[in-house]
Amino acid sequence: MTGIFKASARMRKTIGATALLGMAVSSVQADMLDVEKDELTFGFIKLTDMAPLAVAKELHYFEDEGLYVTLEPQANWKVLLDRVITGELDGAHMLAGQPLAATIGFGTEAHIVTPFSMDLNGNGITVSTEVWEMMKEHIPVEGGKPVHPIKADALKPVVDRFRAEGRSFNMGMVFPVSTHNYELRYWLASGGIHPGFYSPTDASGQIKAEALLSVTPPPQMPATLEAGTIHGYCVGEPWNQQAVFKGIGVPVITDYEIWKNNPEKVFGLTAEFVEENPNTTLAITKALIRAAKWLDENDNANRMEAVEILSKPEYVGADAEVIANSMTGTFEYEKGDKRAVPDFNVFYRYFATYPFYSDAVWYLTQMRRWGQIPEAKPDNWYDEVAKSVYRPDLYLEAARMLVEEGHVDEADFPWDSDGYRAPTPAADIIDGVAYDGRKPNAYIDSLPIGLKSGQTVEGTEVVGG
Amino acid sequence: MTDTSHAIDTRSAEREARKERLFTRINKAAGWLDALGLSWLTPILKIAAGDNPREQAGELKRVLVIPLIGIGLFIAAWAVLAPQVQTSLGAIPGPVAVWDQAVNLWEDHKAERQKAVEFHERQKARNDQLVADGRADRVKWRDYTGRPTYLDQIATSLVTVGFGFLIATLVAVPLGIASGLSKTVNGAINPLIQIFKPVSPLAWLPIVTMIVSALYVDTVDWLPKSLLISAVTVTLCSLWPTLINTALGVASVDKDLMNVGRVLQLPTAKTITKLVLPSALPLIFTGLRLSLGVGWMVLIAAEMLAQNPGLGKFVWDEFQNGSSQSLAKIMVAVLTIGIIGFMLDRLMYALQRAFTFSANR
């Protein structure tokens, strides 16, 4: 065993040396970016979608760019954001809503930008076993198994029953501007359950709410559900599969079924950092793009290896089999009901890493929809905010270098994009409302529950419109 | 004939004398061994030195066999009871599973060190290449960026508690002396002691975090902000026993002794070093011992809450990981914390003995 290991180590070294020699001859080595800061600390939350960071470190992509990166798990999303703002962290795996909210001054105010989108999909909504039993009566069955996707229509009678019994129906999400908050709200609202409004004077987000949503850090979700504090939650992996393994809850829907290929986490840096360290920013982006490519390469061939990396205690740390459940193209709903969801985690294909303005705009429309943005804004405001936070220019510059170095293919990137994805057709979203990032106000007005153009929340009432 | 018997006599007398000296030495060491928690070594040494084994057997039973039986019973009860409690992460790990994880953590440590070596090799290759390319100005040497291992976390915790304890001692001893010598000072700080003594570390932590973050702006490499925050929290919780015991020790110095000092018109500094400290030392050390114990306990809580590096963070990370090994790893940490706490206490006790003896001389 050790003999094999030694031999392969030696082989690797030889390959490495040859590669270095090769590079010295070509222009690659000469082109290595002159990074301004080479010792970096990045924060992350224990979730499988931090994979590009772990992979870039473990496969030495950061080192290839001359970067020495330390990865630090953070206790929760708030601590993570605060530490990026104070500069204790140079950058972090972030909720897409975090840079946007910080930049427009909701919650904390700081200009944060992103040159790299980390993944598509990857979340699920889980309910407790008790709620699942109550929901089951309202779900059609085919071949002995419930028909998916399960709409919130099936949850509506349960919520009504809770309310009739005088119990509040509590659900957990990970942060007020998290993807999870918006996805959970989206799903609930599509089934006619009101998730509540935010107002400038009430940041609880529970005005008029039928389901009460509150913040719980991702790794604590299963424990909180087990303790009975919440009846369900929306969180990233592996914390939905963990509930299945523990036998305490049932994931009812993945975000892929709510909105096919919805944008997820981003890599966030302060605008100040990007300005002061342009080459470092490019080097980071290059390493992350390579990591994302590796994760999706050859039809997800590397996923098991990625699972092994993620299961190390310094990264996600959950058991490999729990992580593998969602990382390898499947998803286990009820115990034993394992189904194929090949695109549950997408890191590279479908231009997953390109920071599309339309993704940013979607998050902003949800902030407006639920009152986190109290006043209506014109369409061009959405465009401007998106452009000040999402930086496809930096992304494409990094991608161009990688193409020239031969690490990636020219076809992997949307070179001519104006930053907006083609409108999402109604069929790809669970409530059948199409989304066009160029027309945010029209989109907001077409959503069933939520603030419309002229409306504001005053006290506990919606006025105007 | 007489010559030989004389020689035999002298030889046996010499042997007796040597044995006598050996026993005196063993008896002297017994005090130290006791202080260090190794009292079971004394009877073994005596037997080895030729003492009657039967005489020492009773002592050996008391200090070694019975404690071992106690530990054995505990482990047996643990092994039997643990598998009967099913948590959502599986059964509670028994002694074997915990031992496996202890070994596992050691293997992890070795693997991580190996990765560090490889990291430095890669770095060297890169730098050599830069030099070969005539770009020596870009050569940089960086520290390994991997995660801290379990042993690293233990070291961090020990440094932190040591640092916090040092600050606590530097604050508490002078303040205690002042308050023991002067009724006015004592009256002024006594209510504050009463109020702040029972405050939990978890309540101090947010305040300390904010204040340290505001004041400690230009961080230096050897003292990270997180370490300072943990250390100051330890200080705030652990300085009280030293303070109270020092004040008590100083206040109870023999009045006649103090009067002699007054007659001789000794300057205050002399009074303190020559009269007060020697008599108050035993109580001061009792306070320090209590303080260190409190500090060690507080540290783990502070590290858990603040996510500052150390054993506390290790425990919290494992709790969050929620893997099938997590519970056993946390138990390894609990045992480690207990054993280190015990060793720290023994260390202070040994110091106390050393200083108290010299003070009595």
Side-chain angles (χ1 to χ4, degrees):
Chain A
M1 188 66 205
T2 37
I4 295 171
F5 176 72
K6 265 185 203 149
S8 74
R10 204 176 308 130
M11 224 159 76
R12 235 180 291 150
K13 224 175 274 171
T14 330
I15 293 170
T18 336
L20 273 176
L21 279 177
M23 272 191 260
V25 179
S26 80
S27 64
V28 176
Q29 178 77 3
D31 282 350
M32 197 169 101
L33 287 158
D34 195 2
V35 293
E36 296 84 2
K37 188 173 182 193
D38 63 351
E39 276 183 299
L40 303 162
T41 307
F42 296 152
F44 69 90
I45 295 285
K46 287 178 175 287
L47 291 164
T48 52
D49 53 20
M50 62 75 67
L53 284 170
V55 167
K57 183 174 163 71
E58 292 289 321
L59 300 188
H60 315 312
Y61 292 155
F62 283 131
E63 285 178 35
D64 289 351
E65 301 296 334
L67 302 174
Y68 298 100
V69 173
T70 307
L71 296 179
E72 258 183 28
Q74 305 296 310
N76 58 54
W77 289 112
K78 176 167 167 41
V79 168
L80 175 137
L81 180 63
D82 288 347
R83 295 188 71 196
V84 170
I85 294 170
T86 60
E88 283 169 87
L89 296 174
D90 297 299
H93 158 232
M94 278 188 190
L95 297 159
Q98 282 186 312
L100 293 163
T103 301
I104 62 172
F106 177 75
T108 324
E109 183 146 18
H111 192 183
I112 296 187
V113 303
T114 176
F116 179 80
S117 176
M118 291 190 72
D119 61 328
L120 303 179
N121 314 319
N123 300 323
I125 296 175
T126 294
V127 297
S128 70
T129 322
E130 178 204 1
V131 171
W132 173 244
E133 288 306 322
M134 291 161 79
M135 275 176 82
K136 258 183 171 171
E137 325 165 0
H138 310 283
I139 301 167
V141 180
E142 210 177 86
K145 283 183 175 176
V147 178
H148 282 266
I150 294 170
K151 296 188 76 177
D153 303 7
L155 183 66
K156 174 86 174 150
V158 180
V159 174
D160 288 344
R161 204 166 122 193
F162 264 72
R163 286 161 60 80
E165 289 168 5
R167 297 164 69 189
S168 55
F169 191 82
N170 302 321
M171 293 191 89
M173 46 83 182
V174 302
F175 198 66
V177 297
S178 65
T179 321
H180 317 81
N181 188 17
Y182 304 130
E183 279 169 6
L184 185 53
R185 284 166 179 272
Y186 203 98
W187 181 69
L188 290 171
S190 74
I193 302 167
H194 202 303
F197 289 120
Y198 292 82
S199 84
T201 53
D202 182 355
S204 72
Q206 297 181 343
I207 300 168
K208 287 186 161 308
E210 290 169 332
L212 305 180
L213 274 47
S214 58
V215 172
T216 306
Q220 258 103 286
M221 283 294 184
T224 315
L225 185 77
E226 202 178 358
T229 317
I230 51 178
H231 303 106
Y233 56 72
C234 179
V235 76
E237 274 310 297
W239 309 118
N240 294 290
Q241 292 302 303
Q242 184 80 300
V244 179
F245 269 73
K246 287 178 146 197
I248 55 172
V250 176
V252 285
I253 192 164
T254 65
D255 58 347
Y256 178 76
E257 295 153 323
I258 296 175
W259 172 10
K260 282 192 181 50
N261 294 331
N262 65 92
E264 251 290 308
K265 305 287 184 316
V266 296
F267 184 77
L269 304 145
T270 60
E272 208 184 347
F273 181 93
V274 172
E275 195 165 312
E276 285 168 8
N277 308 288
N279 286 339
T280 310
T281 308
L282 282 178
I284 298 168
T285 313
K286 282 172 68 182
L288 288 175
I289 292 175
R290 283 182 67 191
K293 180 184 178 203
W294 181 86
L295 278 161
D296 278 11
E297 225 163 29
N298 303 329
D299 207 10
N300 290 357
N302 297 326
R303 285 296 175 92
M304 268 326 283
E305 204 177 320
V307 166
E308 287 304 321
I309 293 175
L310 288 175
S311 69
K312 291 185 184 182
E314 66 261 42
Y315 300 125
V316 181
D319 285 345
E321 53 173 346
V322 178
I323 297 176
N325 240 14
S326 63
M327 279 286 280
T328 51
T330 59
F331 194 84
E332 189 169 2
Y333 294 87
E334 218 175 340
K335 211 160 206 161
D337 185 1
K338 203 165 176 174
R339 303 185 188 205
V341 188
D343 283 339
F344 182 77
N345 270 302
V346 172
F347 292 100
Y348 193 67
R349 48 186 186 267
Y350 316 133
F351 305 138
T353 51
Y354 184 99
F356 282 104
Y357 297 137
S358 45
D359 297 349
V361 171
W362 186 78
Y363 282 100
L364 291 167
T365 62
Q366 300 305 303
M367 290 179 198
R368 167 64 194 138
R369 181 184 184 191
W370 304 116
Q372 290 176 336
I373 297 172
E375 305 283 340
K377 305 277 185 185
D379 280 358
N380 64 349
W381 179 87
Y382 289 89
D383 182 62
E384 281 160 19
V385 173
K387 282 180 177 160
S388 76
V389 176
Y390 279 46
R391 297 291 303 272
D393 54 327
L394 298 176
Y395 174 86
L396 287 180
E397 203 179 334
R400 176 55 65 194
M401 291 178 185
L402 288 173
V403 171
E404 278 164 13
E405 290 165 22
H407 289 303
V408 292
D409 294 333
E410 175 106 28
D412 293 346
F413 305 94
W415 301 101
D416 304 324
S417 169
D418 64 348
Y420 282 86
R421 284 180 203 270
T424 314
D428 282 0
I429 304 187
I430 195 156
D431 59 356
V433 178
Y435 167 64
D436 182 356
R438 290 187 185 79
K439 297 174 191 143
N441 279 305
Y443 173 65
I444 293 171
D445 289 342
S446 67
L447 290 166
I449 298 179
L451 295 181
K452 306 283 184 291
S453 293
Q455 294 178 328
T456 52
V457 180
E458 269 168 35
T460 57
E461 289 307 316
V462 175
V463 295
Chain B
M1 191 68 189
T2 39
D3 258 16
T4 35
S5 75
H6 183 72
I8 291 170
D9 272 359
T10 358
R11 223 177 297 148
S12 71
E14 249 171 44
R15 205 185 300 139
E16 271 309 306
R18 213 181 307 134
K19 204 170 167 187
E20 211 48 48
R21 253 176 293 148
L22 195 60
F23 272 96
T24 335
R25 229 175 287 152
I26 291 178
N27 280 331
K28 220 175 188 178
W32 288 104
L33 289 175
D34 194 34
L36 289 169
L38 301 171
S39 37
W40 49 272
L41 264 178
T42 318
I44 294 180
L45 282 177
K46 280 185 179 166
I47 292 172
D51 204 352
N52 183 359
R54 193 163 298 169
E55 248 172 58
Q56 294 302 323
E59 180 69 5
L60 198 60
K61 191 172 127 196
R62 189 179 67 82
V63 294
L64 184 63
V65 179
I66 292 183
L68 280 182
I69 291 176
I71 294 174
L73 283 178
F74 168 75
I75 291 180
W78 174 16
V80 170
L81 294 177
Q84 299 182 10
V85 183
Q86 284 292 333
T87 71
S88 54
L89 282 177
I92 291 182
V96 178
V98 170
W99 174 252
D100 284 349
Q101 284 314 311
V103 174
N104 197 354
L105 285 169
W106 170 245
E107 296 294 331
D108 274 358
H109 173 78
K110 285 197 291 187
E112 194 65 25
R113 285 291 179 272
Q114 178 60 33
K115 276 173 86 176
V117 169
E118 286 166 14
F119 170 86
H120 288 296
E121 276 173 6
R122 285 197 306 276
Q123 184 166 244
K124 186 169 181 310
R126 199 167 300 123
N127 282 337
D128 288 350
Q129 186 62 41
L130 281 173
V131 173
D133 288 354
R135 299 157 66 112
D137 55 313
R138 288 189 58 182
V139 168
K140 281 175 187 161
W141 296 101
R142 291 302 179 200
D143 287 340
Y144 179 54
T145 52
R147 65 174 174 137
T149 66
Y150 189 59
L151 295 188
D152 297 335
Q153 303 279 35
I154 294 177
T156 310
S157 282
L158 282 174
V159 169
T160 315
V161 81
F163 190 50
F165 178 65
L166 189 71
I167 308 176
T169 309
L170 292 179
V171 173
V173 172
L175 208 58
I177 292 174
S179 114
L181 286 176
S182 145
K183 287 226 157 56
T184 323
V185 177
N186 189 33
I189 65 172
N190 196 39
L192 297 177
I193 295 178
Q194 302 303 333
I195 292 173
F196 288 130
K197 192 176 63 146
V199 176
S200 149
L202 305 186
W204 281 124
L205 195 66
I207 301 177
V208 173
T209 307
M210 301 308 282
I211 293 177
V212 169
S213 303
L215 295 180
Y216 186 46
V217 184
D218 299 315
T219 51
V220 284
D221 271 352
W222 58 269
L223 183 61
K225 205 187 270 177
S226 56
L227 196 147
L228 187 62
I229 290 170
S230 306
V232 173
T233 311
V234 167
T235 303
L236 281 175
C237 296
S238 74
L239 63 85
W240 312 111
T242 308
L243 182 52
I244 293 167
N245 276 289
T246 306
L248 194 68
V250 172
S252 56
V253 172
D254 196 342
K255 288 288 165 295
D256 290 344
L257 209 58
M258 295 300 283
N259 286 336
V260 170
R262 226 163 273 149
V263 170
L264 293 176
Q265 291 190 319
L266 285 180
T268 320
K270 267 253 162 69
T271 316
I272 292 174
T273 52
K274 297 286 173 195
L275 300 179
V276 173
L277 273 184
S279 353
L281 260 186
L283 264 175
I284 294 181
F285 265 101
T286 308
L288 287 176
R289 216 176 128 194
L290 287 171
S291 280
L292 188 57
V294 170
W296 181 244
M297 251 174 10
V298 160
L299 176 69
I300 306 300
E303 285 171 349
M304 272 180 83
L305 189 68
Q307 297 281 293
N308 290 340
L311 279 170
K313 181 169 168 61
F314 173 84
V315 169
W316 190 247
D317 279 351
E318 281 304 328
F319 173 60
Q320 289 212 319
N321 284 351
S323 83
S324 51
Q325 304 173 341
S326 292
L327 222 45
K329 281 188 180 166
I330 292 174
M331 287 187 186
V332 174
V334 165
L335 291 176
T336 313
I337 292 165
I339 291 168
I340 291 178
F342 170 70
M343 293 200 308
L344 288 177
D345 187 59
R346 285 288 137 174
L347 200 70
M348 284 306 292
Y349 184 47
L351 277 177
Q352 180 176 8
R353 275 182 71 104
F355 279 93
T356 322
F357 281 165
S358 63
N360 284 349
R361 258 204 307 268

